[in-house]
Amino acid sequence: MIKIKLYELNKHRNECAFRPYLWAQHKLKEIGIEFTTGDSYDYAWIAQSSFLNKKVSLDQSVNEGLEFLSKISGDYMLLDGQDATTLIGSYEVFKESNALLLLKNSLLKDRSLYKQGSVLGRHYWGPGDYKLDDFDKYSDRIVLSGTNWLMTHWSGIKPQWYHMPKKQYDISAMFQYPQGVDVFEHKQLQSIHYDNHRKPMIDILSKMDYNIAKLDNGVRVSQQEYYQRISNAKILLAPYGYGEMAPRDLDAAQFGSILIKPNMEYIDTAPNVFEDGVTYIACNHDYSDLEQKIDMVLSNYNNYLHIIESARKSFETKMQPEHVAMHLYKIFSNLNGIESE
């Protein structure tokens, strides 16, 4: 039996990262893996809130993270359970630490993109200064975690599938824009990039003659009002935010809406429920074809309802504890020959 210690389990972001594994622990025990918070273990897992602090500069965050890890005895792995493919903050700690592996919820399918400059490591925000020149040196020890943001929510309470044949709105654009507050990551302003990415979608929608549910200048509504609106839309739009995945990805399947979002083909994640034309409709990252995709769906709406059922089936099939167990089994099976530096 392999025993894994979950460090600082009750920290908010750590708990979210560990949640799918704990949900699948009955299956993990069947293949010889169990979790503990005690001091007797084979491997320690340290999630991002224990070694990553976005409220301080990148250098300070790295130093604090390495200081925390210096007190860990025995073999350990880092778990970056964030929904974006960026490695900012976690990569710098990983390569300077003795961690065996860095487990990441999602990665760029083309790993060479990490060596190209992007804005805060978010490829979809465009070219920027953050790049990992030495990525190839460590890439074989940076692997998918076998979980992601969507599984974090699925592993709480399985959603109910609703059937609502009569929809009040053609489109739901119930996402925040503008954000309204400055958000910093490692002392660098990121909310401007968040808004700039979403603005083209808003501009396109403002010219379209459809019944659209949206926020008024980004002002939030009550949770009840939010769900009332998104559940009554034929199409649910889900632009990227600080990551590529969002609540709307699951909401669309739950409430019987057709999901349209930027193309997810470049993402490597497990489980992966995104298949263009099957479980969602992909648009270009700059939204240049968004109007065309919306018109296409709404002009032949009944011909696209199969996407809702396909999305639900994909969630039902792929969001299972057996897949988490098998993913971890492969990770530990491949540990032979991997040594901490």
Side-chain angles (χ1 to χ4, degrees), residues 145-160:
S145 64
T147 63
N148 54 38
W149 186 94
L150 295 174
M151 178 163 274
T152 297
H153 285 258
W154 182 274
S155 58
I157 299 177
K158 177 184 170 182
Q160 179 179 347

Side-chain angles (χ1 to χ4, degrees), residues 51 176 302 325:
F51 67 85
Q176 194 167 20
N302 289 335

Side-chain angles (χ1 to χ4, degrees), residues 7 9 18 30 46 56 65 67 133 151 171 185 210 220 228 239-240 246 269 275 288 294 297 301 307:
Y7 262 80
L9 170 60
F18 290 139
E30 292 179 6
I46 298 91
V56 300
E67 174 65 20
D133 293 319
M151 178 163 274
I171 303 167
E185 182 177 274
Y210 289 115
R220 294 177 180 268
Q228 192 278 330
Y240 295 158
T269 190
E275 188 175 353
S288 57
I294 290 174
V297 172
Y301 178 64
I307 287 177

